[in-house]
Amino acid sequence: MSTQTRATQDPRSQTQIHNIGYRDYDGPRLGRGYARRSLYAQSLRGAYGLGRSAKSKVLPMILFGIMCVPALVMVAVAVTTKMNDLPVAYTRYAIIMQMVIALYLAAQAPQSVSRDLRFRTVPLYFSRPIERVDYVVAKFGAMASALFVLTASPLVILYVGALLAKMDFTDQTKGFAQGLVSVALMSLLFGGIGLVVAALTPRRGFGVAAVIAVLVISYGAVSVVQGIAWGTDNLDAVSWLGLFSPVTLIDGVQTAFLGATTSFPGGSGPGAGAGAVYLLVVLALIAGSYAVLMRRYRKVGL
């Protein structure tokens, strides 16, 4: 075999390097903080359908309107009739509208995390300068913030309406502040629980049903058992049974520490001692939700 033939058959003799114009990136590298803030902002916007299709905006905006319309009606009545107090206390409003809050959370929590699991995009997030803790903090913060917007907006309407009706400024400001603390705690608790339940399955439909079951069925079951305990004169059990539902947990905390009236049978909410237990359980559930999400995404991110 000639030298020329061997050179032709040698693969290395046909290797060529093509310059296709790629250049090194010389711009600013914004790092993890920017990526975390961007993911938070994108998730918060997505919770209300912003930046998504028109169909995605329908349900969250309808639920937001349903949350605010009763407050507007109360304000109109209070201003027209010159009432001295609002028909509903600030701390009671979210408890009364709990079904709307549950529906919103059931719709948006799976939207926030289930699609990333279903389409296996989580490892793509972690291929960038973002770590597991950044993803969890951004998603948790966005869901809690979206719920706070949903629950605090009607309180703002009530407060402005109370001032327009010339109700006592000090009393209304105090009640408004107590209401904001209550819905902030509710947003953290519900947001954490909703994300944990939704993150357990990549199927959005299963996530929706599971979130509704956890919030609505647990509240219904606890309320029934509390009613039975009240009817059989087991008055102490009424307060402690409230530990087994997210809604009654918030009810107990605000009754014990925020001067709210309770929806427990007989109007006998927990006192300061039991209220401290309620608060510890709420904080433990929030921290536990964060820990479960961190554990969940340790495996998913691989």
Side-chain angles (χ1 to χ4, degrees), residues 79-145:
V79 172
T80 302
T81 61
K82 298 181 180 180
M83 298 173 64
N84 294 323
D85 291 302
L86 291 169
V88 175
Y90 295 98
T91 50
R92 293 296 306 157
Y93 193 89
I95 300 296
I96 293 173
M97 303 296 289
Q98 60 176 282
M99 181 60 69
V100 180
I101 300 171
L103 290 175
Y104 177 86
L105 181 62
Q108 300 309 315
Q111 182 276 135
S112 180
V113 296
S114 295
R115 292 191 305 169
D116 290 344
L117 296 172
R118 183 176 182 182
F119 297 110
R120 305 180 185 274
T121 58
V122 176
L124 296 179
Y125 284 108
F126 297 161
S127 67
R128 298 295 180 182
I130 186 172
E131 297 184 3
R132 176 166 47 100
V133 63
D134 301 315
Y135 183 89
V136 172
V137 168
K139 290 293 185 177
F140 200 145
M143 194 72 258
S145 298

Side-chain angles (χ1 to χ4, degrees), residues 102 106 197 206-220 246:
V197 174
F206 292 161
V208 171
V211 172
I212 291 177
V214 169
L215 294 181
V216 177
I217 295 180
S218 65
Y219 175 73

Side-chain angles (χ1 to χ4, degrees), residues 34 52 79 105 121 158 166 178 194 199 213 221 227-228 257 278 281:
Y34 178 81
R52 300 169 58 201
V79 172
L105 181 62
T121 58
L158 290 174
K166 298 182 180 180
Q178 291 172 335
I228 295 173
F257 300 112
Y278 271 70
V281 172

Side-chain angles (χ1 to χ4, degrees), residues 28-222:
R29 299 186 182 276
L30 301 176
R32 287 175 55 190
Y34 178 81
R36 182 171 55 247
R37 291 191 299 272
S38 298
L39 181 58
Y40 166 82
Q42 182 267 337
S43 300
L44 178 56
R45 285 167 52 84
Y48 285 94
L50 303 178
R52 300 169 58 201
S53 65
K55 187 173 75 171
S56 301
K57 298 178 178 66
V58 174
L59 182 59
M61 292 304 177
I62 288 177
L63 293 176
F64 182 81
I66 293 174
M67 280 292 295
C68 293
V69 165
L72 289 170
V73 173
M74 292 178 193
V75 165
V77 172
V79 172
T80 302
T81 61
K82 298 181 180 180
M83 298 173 64
N84 294 323
D85 291 302
L86 291 169
V88 175
Y90 295 98
T91 50
R92 293 296 306 157
Y93 193 89
I95 300 296
I96 293 173
M97 303 296 289
Q98 60 176 282
M99 181 60 69
V100 180
I101 300 171
L103 290 175
Y104 177 86
L105 181 62
Q108 300 309 315
Q111 182 276 135
S112 180
V113 296
S114 295
R115 292 191 305 169
D116 290 344
L117 296 172
R118 183 176 182 182
F119 297 110
R120 305 180 185 274
T121 58
V122 176
L124 296 179
Y125 284 108
F126 297 161
S127 67
R128 298 295 180 182
I130 186 172
E131 297 184 3
R132 176 166 47 100
V133 63
D134 301 315
Y135 183 89
V136 172
V137 168
K139 290 293 185 177
F140 200 145
M143 194 72 258
S145 298
L147 285 172
F148 184 74
V149 170
L150 181 75
T151 54
S153 295
L155 301 188
V156 173
I157 295 173
L158 290 174
Y159 181 63
V160 173
L163 297 184
L164 291 175
K166 298 182 180 180
M167 298 180 187
D168 186 78
F169 176 80
T170 302
D171 290 343
Q172 295 305 316
T173 302
K174 180 181 177 181
F176 177 59
Q178 291 172 335
L180 289 181
V181 172
S182 175
V183 297
L185 201 59
M186 174 184 283
S187 299
L188 287 170
L189 177 62
F190 283 23
I193 292 175
L195 287 180
V196 166
V197 174
L200 295 178
T201 174
R203 299 289 185 178
R204 183 177 179 182
F206 292 161
V208 171
V211 172
I212 291 177
V214 169
L215 294 181
V216 177
I217 295 180
S218 65
Y219 175 73
V222 167

